[in-house]
Amino acid sequence: MSQVFSEETHRNLLARIPHCTGREVSDWLRTVDEGPSLFRFEEKVSWLRGEHNLAYGHAKAIIHEYDLRRAARKLL
């Protein structure tokens, strides 16, 4: 079972991603968008970890943010 991060923890992880990975969150979101069409959350996290050697928490935060932004676009 995956961990559930609080909103504060999610924001803290996102803030650290550029320092830890050398890439901006927007770059990672574009990478996910251009990546394989995976359906499940954990599949996306595993793909990011395996393909880009990301830590679990960073990969999870990126996918969570991607899903949040995608859902927000659908509401507009």
Side-chain angles (χ1 to χ4, degrees), residues 2-71:
S2 65
Q3 294 173 293
V4 176
F5 296 138
S6 69
E7 184 63 27
E8 180 182 2
T9 300
H10 175 67
R11 293 290 158 214
N12 288 337
L13 280 167
L14 284 180
R16 288 194 304 258
I17 286 172
H19 174 73
C20 294
T21 68
R23 292 177 61 186
E24 294 296 321
V25 172
S26 60
D27 292 338
W28 286 113
L29 297 176
R30 190 169 30 262
T31 297
V32 173
D33 198 42
E34 294 169 354
S37 297
L38 300 171
F39 180 70
R40 297 180 58 222
F41 182 87
E42 287 297 329
E43 289 175 324
K44 295 176 198 175
V45 171
S46 293
W47 173 76
L48 265 185
R49 292 184 72 205
E51 193 72 23
H52 299 283
N53 200 32
L54 290 177
Y56 177 74
H58 291 146
K60 185 174 176 179
I62 290 166
I63 298 301
H64 182 62
E65 187 67 18
Y66 177 82
D67 288 347
L68 287 174
R69 291 184 186 195
R70 187 181 60 185

